[in-house]
Amino acid sequence: ENRLTARASGGLLDEAASAEGGRDRTFIGEETADMTSTTKTLAFAVTAGLAAGLVGGPLAGPAFAFPEKDVNYIIPFSPGGESDIAARLQQPVFAEEFGQQLVVQYQAGAGGAQAWSQLNSMAADGHTIMGINLPHVILQPMMSSPGYATEDLTPVYWFHYTPDAIIVNASSQFETLEDLVEFAEANPGLVTFSGSGSNSANSLAHATFDALAGITTTYVPFSGTGPSTTALLGDQVMASWGYSTVAAAQGDQVRMLAVAAEDRLPLFPDVPTFADAGYDMVGGAYRGVAVPQGASEETRQAVSDAFRAMNNEPAMRQAMDDGAFVVIDVGYGEMEAFMAEGREEIAAAAEGAN
């Protein structure tokens, strides 16, 4: 067959999932933190070697205390999207674990680029952090001049993944993915999709699927999943490139036609994957947290360890599972290899979609 192969995120998901041997759902393994107090400060005795990801050798030097005060958590998208939902789930866990607050702020614009381009001008003591997304921070500098380079950013932890999905209003004429494809074949350009941002997971999924299906549809970018979903519910567009999480959040108001996961999701056993429908397409968005480039190795490791501890909480994992997020565990020590593989895979996917 003369089909394109789209795997914008499959290999990354495999790497993140390898400890559990699964592809679509990865829970952190046996590194459960021993946390018995509900309000405590995480004190890390961090040597230069440990900060670089080494675990052998004796610890030396003074302990690095984090957090010492409330942490400003900047979300580079509008309220209501997956980044915002994740932050809201993290807030009470952070407060319980560390006795400080995650203060969520929004700095939406240019599909996240407005905030990411300003990250390195912010305080680098670990108490100002920012949400970060793949493929956005690789794809944007690859395709345009967003005001930052991928290498300018310092991700320290990736905590979850959401598969791309085509979602329609519950009242839509499209009952199945094939209904939508047949209509688009007969009416080039008429099918409109909302999506979160340009040069993003959603825009890449849109271009990829149009190429795979041999159709032409229209993509309308919004400043985040929240306004994109509002446009769908208000019938401003005919469909939406969103994520599995949108279907989980909106319930009976929407219908998910297909999901770009390796296997069907436990929450949606009746929703086919794109592969089920004959399209070799796996992809989605990764979310994590970044610090300013000026942050010390100790600070980077401390923020990574704090988010890993939160992500490892059973209540957090359950909340993510219930929301159709796929929990992953990529810490600062694994970051260089993870990002290198991401660049290679996302570049290949973008080339195949064009």
Side-chain angles (χ1 to χ4, degrees), residues 92-140:
V93 179
F94 190 87
E96 181 177 352
E97 292 297 322
F98 308 120
Q100 305 290 352
Q101 300 298 316
L102 277 179
V103 181
V104 174
Q105 303 171 358
Y106 304 97
Q107 194 170 330
Q114 180 174 311
W116 293 321
S117 65
Q118 298 177 35
L119 175 58
N120 288 338
S121 66
M122 299 177 182
D125 65 352
H127 294 88
T128 297
I129 60 176
M130 186 176 288
I132 189 168
N133 297 54
L134 286 176
H136 309 52
V137 299
I138 292 175
L139 197 59
Q140 288 176 357

Side-chain angles (χ1 to χ4, degrees), residues 254-342:
V254 300
R255 180 164 55 251
M256 186 160 57
L257 301 185
V259 61
E262 291 279 356
D263 301 303
R264 296 191 181 200
L265 301 179
L267 277 181
F268 300 101
D270 297 328
V271 175
T273 66
F274 282 96
D276 289 338
Y279 304 99
D280 191 4
M281 180 171 169
V282 175
Y286 289 79
R287 296 176 189 85
V289 63
V291 298
Q293 200 170 52
S296 67
E297 290 294 311
E298 291 86 356
T299 297
R300 298 176 186 192
Q301 189 66 52
V303 175
S304 178
D305 288 350
F307 271 79
R308 171 169 277 166
M310 283 196 296
N311 222 32
N312 199 38
E313 282 294 309
M316 174 64 74
R317 295 202 302 267
Q318 187 62 55
M320 292 288 187
D321 192 36
D322 291 344
F325 295 96
V326 178
V327 177
I328 61 174
D329 175 35
V330 182
Y332 183 57
E334 300 85 54
M335 198 58 58
E336 184 176 353
F338 185 78
M339 292 298 292
E341 184 174 353

Side-chain angles (χ1 to χ4, degrees), residues 65-256:
F66 176 85
E68 295 184 303
K69 57 184 179 180
D70 292 348
V71 175
N72 294 321
Y73 191 3
I74 300 170
I75 301 301
F77 298 98
S78 299
E82 286 78 12
S83 296
D84 180 37
I85 293 170
R88 297 301 179 181
L89 291 174
Q90 289 162 341
Q91 278 182 310
V93 179
F94 190 87
E96 181 177 352
E97 292 297 322
F98 308 120
Q100 305 290 352
Q101 300 298 316
L102 277 179
V103 181
V104 174
Q105 303 171 358
Y106 304 97
Q107 194 170 330
Q114 180 174 311
W116 293 321
S117 65
Q118 298 177 35
L119 175 58
N120 288 338
S121 66
M122 299 177 182
D125 65 352
H127 294 88
T128 297
I129 60 176
M130 186 176 288
I132 189 168
N133 297 54
L134 286 176
H136 309 52
V137 299
I138 292 175
L139 197 59
Q140 288 176 357
M142 189 183 297
M143 298 295 188
S144 62
S145 299
Y148 71 92
T150 303
E151 295 75 17
D152 293 339
L153 302 178
T154 308
V156 296
Y157 192 74
W158 298 99
F159 46 74
H160 74 225
Y161 161 85
T162 48
D164 289 312
I166 290 180
I167 299 168
V168 297
N169 201 309
S171 61
S172 171
Q173 63 183 299
F174 305 131
E175 293 287 338
T176 67
L177 183 63
E178 195 57 36
D179 290 343
L180 186 150
V181 171
E182 289 178 359
F183 184 89
E185 287 175 336
N187 302 276
L190 187 60
V191 176
T192 51
F193 282 91
S194 64
S196 176
S198 300
N199 294 322
S200 63
N202 290 165
S203 68
L204 179 60
H206 168 259
T208 298
F209 184 70
D210 272 17
L212 285 170
I215 58 177
T216 300
T217 63
T218 301
Y219 179 80
V220 183
F222 287 82
S223 62
T225 301
S228 173
T229 302
T230 298
L232 174 68
L233 295 176
D235 290 322
Q236 299 174 40
V237 291
M238 298 181 74
S240 181
W241 274 105
Y243 305 105
S244 54
T245 46
V246 174
Q250 299 303 323
D252 292 341
Q253 296 185 88
V254 300
R255 180 164 55 251
M256 186 160 57

